[in-house]
Amino acid sequence: MARRELLARIILGLIVIGVPLAVLGYQYGLRPATSSTRIVDVDLRVPEDGGFAPDAITVLAGEPVTLRFSALDVTHGVAIGPGLDVDLGPVDPGQVKAITLTFDHPGTYTYYCTTWCSDDHWRMRGTIQVIDPANPAFVPTTAPDPVIAALIAEGVDIDAAHGSTDAHDADQPLVFARPLSAARGAALLPDTTIPAEVSDPAWRRTHTPAQALDLLADANPGAAQVDVLDVIAHLWTAGTDPGSLADAQALYDQNCAACHGQYGNGDGPAADTTAEQPVAFADPAYLFGMRGDVLYAKIRRGGMGTGMPNFGTLLTPDETWALVQYLWTLPVADLDTD
Amino acid sequence: MLNEGRIDLLERAPLLKRLLKARAFQPAMMLATLLVFTLAILAGIAGTPAGSRNFGIVFVWIVWWALLIVVLVPFFGRLWCTICPIPAPGEWLQRRAIVRRGAARLWTRGLRWPRRLKNMWLQNFGFLAVALFSTIILTRPGVSAWLLLSFLLAGVLLSALYKNRVFCRYVCPVGGFIGLYSLVSPVELRVADPNVCADHKTKDCITGNEFGYGCPWMVFPGSLTRNAYCGLCFECLKTCPKNNIVLNLRPFGSDLTVAKERRLDEAYKAFIMLGCALLYSAVLLGPWGWLKDWANMDTLPHWALYAASFLSANLVLLPGLFGLSVWIGRSASGSGQPLRRLFVDYAYTLIPLGLAAWIAFSTGFVLVNGSYALTVLSDPFGWGWDLFGTAGMHWTPLGATIIPFLQVGVLTAGLMAALNTAYKIARQHGIPHRAAFVEALPVSGFALVVTVGFLRLYLG
């Protein structure tokens, strides 16, 4: 056989057999074997087509692991929580985004989609179970959330229809005659008698603004209700760190706006897909009947039967409180961050 | 006069002649394209299902397609067939050799290709079938890969059953339109003197000799008057002992007025290509989202309706309207030619127009989507590789401001060529200038309306 013919046949063999073997061997054999970390490939599809695959990963504490997320259909977003501060941002179709993490302690984390990818977007979650290499069979249990535990102990039904101001003093029906203004409330503060409990941030977390209104009205008998409402708007939104408020707004935009609307009007693009109409935080009548700890509990545990997902596996308690704080700003006209 | 006004490139460039005569030239090119083809199939099957990030989709349906329709076919005719990898494995198996001149006896059952299939009809229906599913094939790497693989397997199977390149000549849906549009190209393979061929007893270009094989495309170079079925494999250049083969540079569209070989199957190929260009433009570039959904098989009834409309438009509506314009021209001019002959003859006026439409469509498509090529070059399979540092490049549409001008220019040139061809064809019917003008006028009007339709789609 002539040399050129032999060479051509070798090249043909390399192309037809060698190239596929080399490509697949590198991707599935050599690449993982030579990587300094364990590599886990996670495919992203809309939840209707399977969501994350795999949707459960087990890693050892102290073991570096590289998570590679590939979007296969539409643009998704990937974040991992709670408390890891990992947000890979949007992942376009065909794009691969990777991150290498080392989990120090056993526990459970959640990776979740942050882009409204489909009607069932909120179902798009996966869990990372971090186990102790010395005791792999041990699965740590999550301690009950003290805020939620306290509400249950108090007998508060988290799933009841809150947001009602029925408990408010019937002699003074609640009327929002003008948009709430925190700045006007701050200006009125020197001339207003603030009952001690209303001044206490811990009390404000466990009581509704409507309850504060009753106390303030009793303490300031000549004050107009519209002014007292502004004082309450100031009290419930004062002292918020602008940085954490901005972070909370980002969390809201990422996780809540699709249903509750960008401005909290309950009119997000996915509002029609939920079991119940999403509540409108921008409506002061709703928020004046809400306790901060109940809002916290609803965010972390989800709303039973309403379509409201739980975010307790995604967000830290601090992030959740920051989110609650952000919600209070939505009905206050002069705190509108947009 | 044959070869009058032509420039023989082989005479002008002896190095080119040496290259084309070398037995290793074509296999080397085929091996190179086979490598790309293998990667495309592998990426389609094993890579990301996201088309815009898959080498198989981007390099086949954007890079290769644009190269083929914007550069190779208009300027070099069937040059793609010279280097196409699809028939290569079958042909190499048949010859039991890649580079060297293999055994005289080919490894094939040597069956006779059915006489009734010795035409373009299989290619016409094959192209329509691919076109019907094009929105799926063009966006789903897996489907695209299996289609390419099926072409390759069909090539191998047909080579095992039949002599020569039956797949290329009678089956390949791409080869059909390349052949038709290569009638426009300014490059042709011909013989210097047909009398030399006529007097040559052994006809080595048909039978083959120690330097090469008999024409795999089953064409006798001595009687070659059009590009349609010459696959530019250059075997005849290698085998001709009389040094009678020339590779000419010639005016664009020279073959369009070659009257003696016009056929209904080719005429229909012209309609199908023009119709598909029009429908592709409407589906992929038009403002009708529902039409795209239908083509994309959102529901079976929608797709069935789309398929019925698509086939009717290509096989009935467009030829029907064209036939009507031919009939009007015939009646008005009183030329007395048979209607069928006029219908077939004038269909060749749509070849430059169809080619121009495909160039216009593809130019916009490739400039808008071409940047994906850089991304997939670094990450061909969508696995997070970054071979050349371009994997993270964002989609960057190019030439948004010049695309409409390019499209208008190309379509105008195509229309001018169509009108010119129509008049020349009319004069071939042996009628005076005025009658020829009248006979060609309705067909010219048809071409004008179609061009306006394209401009509406491209310019909004």
Side-chain angles (χ1 to χ4, degrees):
Chain A
M1 190 184 298
R3 274 176 54 196
R4 282 193 305 177
E5 180 66 22
L6 182 64
L7 182 66
R9 291 186 182 195
I10 291 170
I11 293 172
L12 177 64
L14 286 174
I15 290 171
V16 177
I17 300 166
V19 168
L21 282 180
V23 167
L24 297 173
Y26 171 72
Q27 175 66 12
Y28 296 111
L30 192 64
R31 199 179 183 205
T34 54
S35 172
S36 58
T37 64
R38 182 182 152 211
I39 295 174
V40 178
D41 286 304
V42 182
D43 291 341
L44 281 63
R45 291 186 179 87
V46 293
E48 292 85 340
D49 292 334
F52 286 107
D55 61 0
I57 301 166
T58 303
V59 301
L60 298 175
E63 172 200 31
V65 60
T66 299
L67 302 172
R68 288 198 311 222
F69 295 93
S70 315
L72 302 185
D73 45 14
V74 298
T75 298
H76 296 276
V78 175
I80 309 174
L84 298 178
D85 200 23
V86 173
D87 187 347
L88 300 180
V91 188
D92 292 330
Q95 195 179 10
V96 179
K97 282 196 174 176
I99 186 165
T100 300
L101 296 168
T102 304
F103 298 91
D104 294 329
H105 306 290
T108 304
Y109 296 89
T110 303
Y111 47 99
Y112 57 99
C113 181
T114 57
T115 298
W116 194 262
C117 57
S118 76
D119 286 351
D120 283 340
H121 150 79
W122 61 274
R123 293 181 192 275
M124 193 163 167
R125 295 175 179 194
T127 56
I128 303 170
Q129 188 70 54
V130 184
I131 57 173
D132 183 354
N135 187 10
F138 171 71
V139 178
T141 52
T142 309
D145 189 304
V147 176
I148 297 174
L151 283 169
I152 293 168
E154 191 186 329
V156 175
D157 180 2
I158 298 167
D159 299 314
H162 294 279
S164 162
T165 52
D166 291 349
H168 172 65
D169 187 347
D171 295 338
Q172 277 200 315
L174 195 51
V175 178
F176 295 93
R178 67 184 183 206
L180 294 172
S181 166
R184 208 160 38 224
L188 290 167
L189 213 53
D191 302 325
T192 308
T193 303
I194 311 293
E197 56 266 54
V198 179
S199 302
D200 179 9
W203 184 91
R204 290 202 298 268
R205 276 191 175 178
T206 55
H207 292 80
T208 67
Q211 289 170 313
L213 178 65
D214 290 340
L215 294 175
L216 279 162
D218 291 345
N220 302 277
Q225 192 190 64
V226 285
D227 291 336
V228 179
L229 291 174
D230 285 341
V231 171
I232 292 172
H234 165 71
L235 288 171
W236 251 256
T237 56
T240 310
D241 166 42
S244 68
L245 198 63
D247 291 345
Q249 186 186 0
L251 286 177
Y252 178 88
D253 290 345
Q254 212 168 59
N255 297 294
C256 317
C259 294
H260 294 282
Q262 187 182 356
Y263 304 108
N265 291 313
D267 58 353
D272 294 340
T273 67
T274 56
E276 284 184 13
Q277 181 67 28
V279 297
F281 302 120
D283 176 11
Y286 172 79
L287 272 191
F288 262 66
M290 284 300 295
R291 291 166 53 155
D293 53 358
V294 173
L295 284 171
Y296 170 97
K298 278 181 176 288
I299 293 170
R300 293 194 69 75
R301 212 202 59 178
M304 299 297 174
T306 65
M308 167 76 184
N310 78 72
F311 289 92
T313 55
L314 276 53
L315 310 176
T316 63
D318 285 346
E319 287 171 332
T320 314
W321 279 122
L323 201 49
V324 171
Q325 200 58 36
Y326 176 71
L327 297 184
W328 292 125
T329 68
L330 289 171
V332 181
D334 52 3
L335 291 179
D336 186 348
T337 51
D338 294 296
Chain B
M1 193 66 186
L2 190 73
N3 295 328
E4 195 179 38
R6 265 69 164 163
I7 299 168
D8 181 9
L9 295 171
L10 301 180
E11 189 183 281
R12 294 288 179 96
L15 261 178
L16 177 68
K17 186 171 185 176
R18 222 174 124 186
L19 182 73
L20 297 178
K21 283 190 85 163
R23 284 232 58 84
F25 168 70
Q26 194 181 20
M29 299 303 290
M30 284 172 155
L31 283 170
T33 54
L34 187 64
L35 173 63
V36 179
F37 195 76
T38 305
L39 284 174
I41 291 175
L42 188 63
I45 292 171
T48 175
S52 60
R53 297 273 181 163
N54 189 297
F55 181 87
I57 291 292
V58 173
F59 262 79
V60 173
W61 301 121
I62 297 177
V63 176
W64 168 77
W65 177 261
L67 194 68
L68 180 75
I69 208 74
V70 179
V71 181
L72 290 179
V73 171
F75 294 101
F76 302 99
R78 274 199 185 267
L79 187 62
W80 169 252
C81 299
T82 311
I83 61 175
C84 177
I86 292 175
E91 190 168 73
W92 293 335
L93 278 171
Q94 197 181 62
R95 293 173 176 175
R96 284 167 288 170
I98 298 175
V99 177
R100 69 185 164 88
R101 171 68 170 93
R105 189 176 167 80
L106 295 175
W107 204 11
T108 172
R109 288 285 303 278
L111 301 178
R112 280 183 176 276
W113 186 249
R115 191 181 172 83
R116 66 174 56 180
L117 295 180
K118 286 186 175 178
N119 48 52
M120 236 183 223
W121 286 111
L122 266 185
Q123 292 171 312
N124 286 345
F125 291 118
F127 187 86
L128 275 178
V130 173
L132 257 184
F133 295 96
S134 59
T135 48
I136 291 163
I137 293 167
L138 266 56
T139 53
R140 290 170 176 75
V143 178
S144 184
W146 285 110
L147 179 76
L148 296 181
L149 204 55
S150 69
F151 280 9
L152 196 131
L153 293 175
V156 171
L157 182 70
L158 289 174
S159 289
L161 294 176
Y162 300 96
K163 274 187 191 174
N164 301 317
R165 284 201 186 182
V166 161
F167 175 79
C168 303
R169 175 76 195 258
Y170 299 119
V171 181
C172 179
V174 178
F177 78 77
I178 294 180
L180 189 80
Y181 285 154
S182 68
L183 300 181
V184 177
S185 97
V187 174
E188 65 177 13
L189 184 140
R190 298 287 187 272
V191 294
D193 182 358
N195 294 324
V196 171
C197 297
D199 296 339
H200 186 216
K201 302 288 181 217
T202 57
K203 301 278 190 294
D204 293 28
C205 57
I206 299 293
T207 59
N209 57 27
E210 70 270 32
F211 301 108
Y213 298 91
C215 179
W217 287 75
M218 297 156 279
V219 167
F220 174 47
S223 60
L224 204 56
T225 52
R226 303 187 314 154
N227 282 352
Y229 304 109
C230 168
L232 292 182
C233 64
F234 300 108
E235 286 297 331
C236 54
L237 183 65
K238 297 175 182 89
T239 56
C240 180
K242 305 286 185 185
N243 197 23
N244 199 32
I245 302 296
V246 292
L247 186 67
N248 287 329
L249 198 60
R250 65 179 195 180
F252 281 96
S254 299
D255 288 350
L256 295 172
T257 47
V258 177
K260 67 173 184 175
E261 291 182 58
R262 291 183 187 135
R263 298 184 337 211
L264 187 64
D265 55 331
E266 290 183 0
Y268 255 86
K269 172 61 85 183
F271 290 123
I272 289 168
M273 292 308 296
L274 187 69
C276 285
L278 201 55
L279 291 165
Y280 269 34
S281 302
V283 172
L284 298 176
L285 305 178
W288 307 288
W290 59 269
L291 187 58
K292 199 175 284 187
D293 290 340
W294 286 23
N296 220 357
M297 278 191 171
D298 63 338
T299 66
L300 202 57
H302 280 166
W303 184 81
L305 205 57
Y306 167 77
S309 312
F310 189 92
L311 294 174
S312 306
N314 277 297
L315 297 174
V316 182
L317 186 64
L318 204 59
L321 291 173
F322 185 81
L324 185 66
S325 62
V326 171
W327 178 80
I328 293 170
R330 178 176 179 266
S331 306
S333 67
S335 75
Q337 294 285 338
L339 188 60
R340 181 190 159 100
R341 183 190 168 189
L342 291 181
F343 179 80
V344 171
D345 282 0
Y346 280 115
Y348 286 75
T349 61
L350 303 181
I351 292 173
L353 185 60
L355 179 59
W358 277 104
I359 293 172
F361 169 74
S362 306
T363 301
F365 193 71
V366 74
L367 287 175
V368 169
N369 296 302
S371 63
Y372 286 126
L374 292 174
T375 312
V376 300
L377 212 55
S378 276
D379 187 11
F381 305 95
W383 287 338
W385 296 10
D386 197 1
L387 299 175
F388 306 108
T390 55
M393 274 193 66
H394 291 288
W395 172 62
T396 314
L398 298 173
T401 50
I402 60 162
I403 288 172
F405 293 101
L406 292 174
Q407 289 172 323
V408 170
V410 169
L411 281 167
T412 306
L415 177 65
M416 291 298 122
L419 301 186
N420 184 36
T421 306
Y423 177 73
K424 284 180 177 172
I425 288 172
R427 288 307 300 264
Q428 287 176 336
H429 297 145
I431 50 178
H433 163 73
R434 188 178 170 79
F437 180 78
V438 172
E439 186 184 272
L441 194 59
V443 170
S444 303
F446 178 90
L448 179 67
V449 169
V450 170
T451 306
V452 170
F454 276 112
L455 289 173
R456 277 293 304 269
L457 282 170
Y458 294 148
L459 305 181

